[in-house]
Amino acid sequence: MRVPLSWLREYVDLPAGETGRDVQAKLVAAGLEVETVEQLGAGLKGPLVVGQVLAIEELEGFKKPIRYCQVDVGQAGGTSQAEGSGGGTGEPQNIVCGATNFAVGDKVVVVLPGAELPGGFAISARKTYGKTSEGMICSARELGMADDHDGIIVLPPEYEPGTDAIELLELVDDVLDIAVTPDRGYCLSMRGIARETAIAYGLPLRDPALLDVPAPNSHGYPVKVADPVGCDRFTARTVTGLDPEAHSPIWLQRRLQKAGMRPVSLAVDVTNYVMLELGQPLHAYDRTRVNGAIGVRRAEQGEKLTTLDGTQRVLDAEDLVITDESGPIGLAGVMGGADTEIADAAADPETGQVKGTTEVVIEAAHFSPVSIARTARRHKLSSEASRRFERGVDPEATSAAAQRTVDLLVLLAGGTAEAGVTEIISPSAPHTITLPADHPDRVAGVTYGRETVVRRLQQIGCDVYGADDLTVTVPSWRPDLTDPNDLAEEVIRLEGYENLPSTLPRPPAGRGLTSRQRLHRRVGRALAGAGYVEALNYPFIGEEVLDQFGLAADDGRRDLVHLVNPLSDTEPALRTTLLPGLLAALRRNVGRGEHDVALFETGLIFRATGGEPPAVVLPVDHRPSDEEIAALNASLPRQPRRAAVVLAGAREQAGWWGKGTPVSWADAVEAGRIVAREAGVELIVRQDQQDPWHPGRCAALLAVVDGEEILVGNAGELHPRVTKALGLPERTCAMEIELDHLERAGTGVVEAPHVSTFPVATQDVALVVDTSVAAADVEAALREGAGDLLESLRLFDVFTGEQLGEGKKSLAYALRFRAPDRTLTAEEIAASRDAAVAVAAERTGATLRGA
């Protein structure tokens, strides 16, 4: 809501020196969000005057129309002004102008030499197009009035040349831009903002809705309301004898422009003006285009209506519509129909007589906020009217708004208000709330006292009765006040949030992170330390990415949990793997020129088992029971926590030190080991075949849980068809591992290694085994055979060749032996080495290479 300060002063007698910034501070303290204060006319310096065009010379030989105009600027003109030295003599000014939307005799806005326009644009006499231009004829955009730059401003003929245009056009003003929250619909009007301003300053309010309104009678325009729930109030007034050539006066146009609306025509401008003033949306129908009585009903399924924006809309049975005997003529509370819109004034080509709308029917109604909100969203049609109805409009303001509209049309267009007044009202009782007088005190922790509570509630328009227990009647313009806490909030905000004491909460001691949370943090720190960057992604996927992964039809990752109201139609389900989001992030980074990318994410996935019971619907009027909460939790899918990495490009950059190293499947496996070590788990790595990884470069990551090896994740290089389908770089690698399994397999405590001070002995062994034997099995056998003296073991070479024989491979290991309390002898080292080889030979059929 844009609020011009000059307009606001009509309802509240603000101190003379009060600026928009001062009002902003007061309103912010009262709980309103004033985003900006726009200072219109900042930097504008005169002379800026009304001028009358005396003569126009069309200059030839230029690519665009150029006119040399002689303009009467009253006493502001003269040669001394043209030289920029001030002091007018009343002589006409000669001005070069490129606009063509004016003629001889028109009144225009002229800025003279010595003036300065907003933005620091200084005006001086200068030679252009072969002529000396002594000033400039202004457009609305050049004066900061609007974005229209199609032509210059043509003023009504009644203004005399030389009139100060700054004051006439109200070019200098402060405009407050207020972000109105959904519960403060009454602040989408000058009336509502003025009320808040008056309370903030402790000044009286001149309520623009306090008008003398004639009583309803049987002579008004016929109206039939078939849905009193959707429309509980409907006021209709008729004005005849309107001058079709009447235009909105400048003050009305300027107020609309400052409020962010575009002037259209007098009747439309008046309804928009009253809506901004009182907060009540209105609609004006051309009476000659309305066929019979006006009705309000629900639309018939499939009915069609062409709205004012020229779009034909297929109506839904829940839409509330305004009708006449021919059918729908408006979408109630949202937008009127094109068939009954106000006709623009136009001259008859045969007679020259100006024709246009001369009779209007004014509609001021109150519609159900829920119905209007649903209609606006259903048709994707948000309007100024629907924004107000959705947030709650004062139902008792309809008659005042209609009267205000009639008064302005009679005043500005010479119309006559017909005596008939139609007003249909569904019976309703005012809303009352009972609350203890000390309830705001207990909510805020501050002692306000009964007098303060009563005074603040009366300021917002409530009627208050009672002593210890107050009976509060809520004003019609505050539908957001429904219970005692709402009233307490009003008292607290008006007394000042800044006056509330600040008290730090004292949480009970001993509540630290859970073991799951600690593991989650350790994993994140470890991967970040290894060079990975965390990327948080939305937990939504679609079937398409699972097809691109090449997952089989019976793959468990295809058992998706679908959302009732997804953010995107292409991703309607919760993720069953972390990889789609990470790979999409990797693709975006590569597309933006980052070719060496390593990303990680930790988060939940969602796996449906098929045995979940239907979700229960929890109550909204009281706290659900423990049984209801347990039933709701039981309907949720399984949500294991996982960690995943993706990487592409170079692991080490090339430079003067040598060649770079591209990422490989081994880096993805190492990322799995990094994660597992944070849980105190040593992974078992075996060859695997799992989509979306390359079948020859895919590793299964296993851990021992309760004495049994279980699969906790996979790592390796992605399948070429997957990288092609997803638009990823070749040799992209990925790893995904389940943290819940690692937590069960681990000790929960990560111990720092003890480094012995005694020397280490390294022994290399090369074992020949069948190609079907997993390196992990050979490694496990070597560890078991070597005993406690083995400090570490590393596979440093894999070899296959004709000299080994078909179906054989050589695995070379480096074994490090060390004792914590002594230097090992050669005999001890040899014995441990031989024992390790013996166990490997027994378990895997390994033989020493070259033996």
Side-chain angles (χ1 to χ4, degrees):
M1 176 69 186
R2 289 173 57 85
V3 179
L5 186 61
S6 59
W7 194 355
L8 185 62
R9 288 183 182 276
E10 282 200 5
Y11 314 117
V12 184
D13 289 326
L14 296 172
E18 208 73 357
T19 66
R21 300 285 185 191
D22 300 328
V23 177
Q24 177 189 31
K26 289 282 189 180
L27 293 180
V28 169
L32 293 178
E33 185 181 349
V34 184
E35 293 188 326
T36 59
V37 177
E38 184 179 354
Q39 295 177 317
L40 301 182
L44 178 63
K45 299 178 183 178
L48 189 72
V49 299
V50 175
Q52 183 174 16
V53 180
L54 302 177
I56 298 176
E57 177 187 350
E58 303 287 346
L59 301 183
E60 304 293 339
F62 300 101
K63 294 182 180 179
K64 60 180 181 179
I66 300 296
R67 313 170 95 188
Y68 189 53
C69 309
Q70 189 179 59
V71 185
D72 178 10
V73 294
Q75 293 301 312
T79 55
S80 57
Q81 282 284 352
E83 295 166 0
S85 60
T89 63
E91 296 183 7
Q93 302 290 93
N94 296 311
I95 301 173
V96 175
C97 181
T100 59
N101 65 315
F102 63 97
V104 173
D106 283 345
K107 302 291 179 64
V108 295
V109 178
V110 180
V111 56
L112 298 173
E116 187 173 313
L117 294 180
F121 183 52
I123 303 299
S124 61
R126 61 190 182 92
K127 192 166 185 178
T128 179
Y129 296 103
K131 302 286 185 179
T132 299
S133 182
E134 302 166 338
M136 185 171 73
I137 303 176
C138 299
S139 68
R141 184 176 180 181
E142 289 161 345
L143 296 178
M145 295 170 55
D147 292 333
D148 183 14
H149 199 58
D150 294 336
I152 56 91
I153 301 170
V154 178
L155 299 171
E158 60 264 25
Y159 298 105
E160 294 296 325
T163 303
D164 184 358
I166 296 178
E167 182 178 350
L168 174 67
L169 299 176
E170 301 178 13
L171 296 178
V172 178
D173 201 354
D174 287 353
V175 178
L176 288 75
D177 193 350
I178 303 176
V180 180
T181 53
D183 61 328
R184 294 284 179 86
Y186 69 98
C187 286
L188 287 172
S189 67
M190 294 300 302
R191 181 193 185 200
I193 298 298
R195 186 181 302 278
E196 291 293 326
T197 305
I199 295 173
Y201 279 91
L203 297 172
L205 168 70
R206 288 189 291 272
D207 191 345
L210 295 180
L211 300 174
D212 291 331
V213 179
N217 53 58
S218 59
H219 308 299
Y221 197 91
V223 175
K224 298 177 183 178
V225 178
D227 190 340
V229 175
C231 176
D232 56 6
R233 281 179 181 257
F234 196 105
T235 301
R237 300 289 300 275
T238 306
V239 182
T240 60
L242 298 177
D243 180 2
E245 295 187 82
H247 296 283
S248 300
I250 290 177
W251 64 266
L252 178 58
Q253 295 186 42
R254 288 296 293 134
R255 287 190 173 180
L256 291 176
Q257 289 172 338
K258 292 178 187 179
M261 302 190 75
R262 182 176 60 88
V264 179
S265 63
L266 178 59
V268 175
D269 293 348
V270 166
T271 57
N272 286 336
Y273 178 83
V274 176
M275 177 185 68
L276 292 172
E277 184 179 49
L278 301 182
Q280 169 66 52
L282 302 106
H283 192 72
Y285 301 93
D286 188 327
R287 184 176 181 180
T288 61
R289 297 185 175 189
V290 179
N291 184 12
I294 291 177
V296 182
R297 61 170 172 83
R298 297 289 174 177
E300 297 178 5
Q301 188 68 37
E303 270 189 306
K304 295 182 179 179
L305 169 69
T306 301
T307 47
L308 288 173
D309 59 358
T311 302
Q312 187 182 65
R313 304 184 184 276
V314 179
L315 304 180
D316 187 89
E318 290 189 6
D319 291 336
L320 198 64
V321 292
I322 310 297
T323 66
D324 62 6
E325 294 182 1
S326 64
I329 60 173
L331 204 53
V334 180
M335 185 174 286
D339 293 340
T340 57
E341 71 174 318
I342 303 298
D344 295 333
D348 189 306
E350 296 181 0
T351 64
Q353 181 181 0
V354 176
K355 294 184 178 181
T357 298
T358 59
E359 300 180 15
V360 297
V361 178
I362 306 300
E363 166 215 313
H366 183 263
F367 302 110
S368 165
V370 174
S371 176
I372 300 306
R374 288 176 176 172
T375 297
R377 284 156 180 73
R378 187 179 300 116
H379 294 281
K380 297 180 174 59
L381 183 60
S382 179
S383 64
E384 292 290 339
S386 68
R387 287 181 62 227
R388 286 164 172 79
F389 279 122
E390 289 173 15
R391 290 159 174 78
V393 170
D394 183 3
E396 297 183 6
T398 56
S399 56
Q403 183 63 44
R404 178 69 166 144
T405 305
V406 169
D407 292 343
L408 288 173
L409 287 175
V410 171
L411 175 67
L412 302 177
T416 301
E418 291 195 354
V421 178
T422 302
E423 192 164 294
I424 298 176
I425 302 176
S426 297
S428 62
H431 180 58
T432 60
I433 303 172
T434 301
L435 81 159
D438 63 347
H439 182 68
D441 300 7
R442 289 187 282 110
V443 172
V446 176
T447 302
Y448 293 121
R450 179 187 179 280
E451 291 185 2
T452 299
V453 171
V454 172
R455 175 172 55 86
R456 289 303 189 183
L457 293 179
Q458 288 175 339
Q459 283 179 332
I460 64 174
C462 295
D463 291 330
V464 186
Y465 303 96
D468 294 336
D469 289 325
L470 303 179
T471 300
V472 181
T473 302
V474 175
S476 58
W477 58 83
R478 291 300 301 271
D480 58 302
L481 303 180
T482 60
D483 56 58
N485 283 337
D486 294 330
L487 299 179
E489 181 186 3
E490 292 299 298
V491 174
I492 295 168
R493 75 174 180 89
L494 294 179
E495 283 295 306
Y497 291 120
E498 69 277 7
N499 297 322
L500 293 176
S502 298
T503 305
L504 290 175
R506 296 182 179 180
R511 292 189 178 181
L513 299 176
T514 65
S515 59
R516 189 185 194 195
Q517 290 169 330
R518 286 195 294 269
L519 174 60
H520 186 195
R521 290 193 177 187
R522 288 200 306 269
V523 168
R525 286 195 293 265
L527 290 174
Y532 292 87
V533 177
E534 186 171 18
L536 301 178
N537 301 288
Y538 285 118
F540 309 122
I541 61 171
E543 292 279 358
E544 182 183 4
V545 71
L546 301 181
D547 295 337
Q548 292 169 332
F549 275 17
L551 301 186
D554 59 349
D555 194 299
R557 287 169 289 182
R558 284 191 178 273
D559 297 331
L560 300 177
V561 178
H562 289 270
L563 300 171
V564 175
N565 187 22
L567 290 178
S568 170
D569 294 337
T570 59
E571 295 180 332
L574 293 171
R575 65 190 177 191
T576 55
T577 168
L578 299 180
L579 294 182
L582 277 176
L583 292 173
L586 184 144
R587 182 175 63 245
R588 286 194 300 272
N589 280 274
V590 171
R592 293 169 184 172
E594 296 293 332
H595 301 295
D596 306 321
V597 185
L599 306 176
F600 83 92
E601 182 178 10
T602 57
L604 300 178
I605 65 167
F606 306 85
R607 288 292 184 89
T609 63
E612 296 88 359
V616 298
V617 179
L618 296 181
V620 296
D621 56 345
H622 63 272
R623 183 189 183 279
S625 65
D626 293 341
E627 292 76 13
E628 288 173 324
I629 295 176
L632 183 65
N633 288 334
S635 66
L636 297 176
R638 191 168 63 88
Q639 302 176 46
R641 184 175 295 274
R642 290 194 171 185
V645 305
V646 295
L647 58 164
R651 179 165 59 86
E652 294 180 359
Q653 292 285 347
W656 57 267
W657 52 84
K659 295 181 179 180
T661 305
V663 299
S664 70
W665 61 269
D667 296 308
V669 173
E670 181 59 25
R673 288 196 170 104
I674 291 173
V675 173
R677 280 196 291 268
E678 295 303 316
V681 175
E682 191 68 31
L683 288 180
I684 301 170
V685 180
R686 302 184 189 278
Q687 187 175 357
D688 197 10
Q689 186 168 341
Q690 180 72 263
D691 292 324
W693 284 275
H694 193 295
R697 298 175 186 143
C698 174
L701 308 179
L702 303 104
V704 178
V705 179
D706 299 329
E708 181 183 354
E709 286 187 8
I710 65 169
L711 181 69
V712 297
N714 286 96
E717 182 182 311
L718 294 181
H719 197 289
R721 74 163 179 270
V722 175
T723 58
K724 183 178 181 180
L726 294 175
L728 301 172
E730 294 181 357
R731 299 298 179 95
T732 296
C733 299
M735 181 280 299
E736 186 170 19
I737 194 168
E738 190 157 321
L739 296 180
D740 292 345
H741 287 333
L742 293 179
E743 187 179 5
R744 289 166 51 207
T747 61
V749 178
V750 179
E751 296 182 0
H754 174 74
V755 180
S756 174
T757 58
F758 292 92
V760 65
T762 301
Q763 294 283 308
D764 294 344
V765 294
L767 302 176
V768 178
V769 296
D770 293 337
T771 54
S772 60
V773 175
D777 293 339
V778 178
E779 180 179 331
L782 289 173
R783 286 185 183 277
E784 182 178 341
D788 295 337
L789 296 180
L790 182 67
E791 182 180 77
S792 66
L793 178 150
R794 181 175 64 88
L795 174 67
F796 66 86
D797 183 57
V798 179
F799 174 75
T800 57
E802 294 180 357
Q803 57 268 50
L804 295 178
E806 187 177 354
K808 298 291 184 178
K809 64 181 177 182
S810 171
L811 304 176
Y813 291 91
L815 287 72
R816 289 166 56 93
F817 297 97
R818 179 152 45 186
D821 56 350
R822 68 188 187 280
T823 300
L824 295 176
T825 64
E827 292 78 9
E828 290 177 307
I829 297 170
S832 294
R833 172 182 177 276
D834 293 342
V837 172
V839 173
E842 179 184 351
R843 295 274 183 85
T844 65
T847 58
L848 280 173
R849 185 176 173 184

